[in-house]
């Protein structure tokens, strides 16, 4: 059995999701998000992300972690702040000797929906189908679960996640 932690980094709301995989069957474990108050100083917001992720890791004990690769936006200040949040999100599993793998957004969408240009609503719908009983807390948590599913699909290329022959335990 392998536990995968999916991470969708953001300074305002970092999403996280945990799935278990055993014998090519995925199972939803947990999800959530880490909101930070924009009125707090940047170091406090980053510390909040760190400490919450530490709690998630200590509680769920994932074996592997996966994160969405950064995209550039037109606002340099926002890009730098996102980079700082990503640094914390990448570093936290590393502190626990958990390997971290990055995936491009289009690869994540393709692994979950079958189309690299899928809409957020399509991704969330497929996450709920692939992980029965899963009700993600918000879009960030849904994206984090999609990242975990993508990571698993990269480890198990033979599984057709969008097919009807897929079973969850």
């Amino acid at each position: 059995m392998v536990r995968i932690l999916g991470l969708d980094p953001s300074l305002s709301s970092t999403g996280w999701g945990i799935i278990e995989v055993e014998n090519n069957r995925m199972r939803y474990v947990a999800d959530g998000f880490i909101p930070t108050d924009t009125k707090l100083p940047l170091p406090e917001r980053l510390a909040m992300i760190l400490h919450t992720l530490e709690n998630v890791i200590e509680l769920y004990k994932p074996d592997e972690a996966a994160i969405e690769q950064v995209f550039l936006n037109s606002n340099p200040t926002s890009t730098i702040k996102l980079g700082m949040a990503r640094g914390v999100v990448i570093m936290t599993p590393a502190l626990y000797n958990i390997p971290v793998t990055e995936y491009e957004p289009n690869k994540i969408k393709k692994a979950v929906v079958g189309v690299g240009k899928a809409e957020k609503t399509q991704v969330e719908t497929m996450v709920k189908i692939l992980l029965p009983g899963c009700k993600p807390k918000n879009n960030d948590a849904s994206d984090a679960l999609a990242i975990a599913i993508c990571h698993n699909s990269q480890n198990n290329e033979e599984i057709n996640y969008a097919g009807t022959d897929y079973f969850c335990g």
Side-chain angles (χ1 to χ4, degrees):
M1 180 185 70
V2 175
R3 275 203 173 175
I4 302 169
L5 170 62
L7 296 161
D8 183 28
S10 168
L11 183 58
S12 60
S13 178
T14 291
W16 61 270
I18 307 268
I19 64 171
E20 273 182 354
V21 181
E22 185 172 17
N23 298 326
N24 293 334
R25 293 182 181 202
M26 288 190 305
R27 184 177 75 82
Y28 166 78
V29 175
D31 71 84
F33 63 101
I34 308 164
T36 64
D37 186 345
T38 57
K39 295 176 183 139
L40 290 175
L42 180 61
E44 288 182 36
R45 294 173 75 188
L46 295 172
M48 183 178 295
I49 294 169
L50 170 71
H51 295 308
T52 305
L53 283 180
E54 286 177 327
N55 290 337
V56 167
I57 289 168
E58 289 172 10
L59 179 62
Y60 295 106
K61 305 197 180 331
D63 302 297
E64 301 171 7
I67 185 172
E68 185 174 47
Q69 281 183 349
V70 70
F71 61 91
L72 298 177
N73 64 44
S74 58
N75 183 331
T77 302
S78 295
T79 300
I80 290 169
K81 288 180 179 179
L82 174 60
M84 290 179 192
R86 276 181 46 79
V88 170
V89 171
I90 291 170
M91 174 195 69
T92 307
L95 291 173
Y96 290 83
N97 295 315
I98 298 169
V100 179
T101 306
E102 294 184 78
Y103 297 99
E104 295 174 4
N106 287 350
K107 190 169 202 167
I108 295 164
K109 292 174 183 178
K110 187 165 185 176
V112 176
V113 179
V115 179
K117 302 271 186 201
E119 300 291 324
K120 274 196 174 288
T121 55
Q122 293 174 298
V123 172
E124 185 170 353
T125 297
M126 283 306 298
V127 165
K128 290 176 183 176
I129 290 169
L130 295 173
L131 301 171
C134 167
K135 294 178 179 148
K137 310 286 186 287
N138 69 5
N139 284 340
D140 301 312
S142 177
D143 288 349
L145 288 165
I147 294 163
I149 291 167
C150 173
H151 181 69
N152 183 57
S153 74
Q154 299 307 302
N155 289 339
N156 299 291
E157 290 284 344
E158 70 278 3
I159 298 174
N160 179 5
Y161 289 98
T164 55
D165 61 345
Y166 185 77
F167 302 97
C168 288

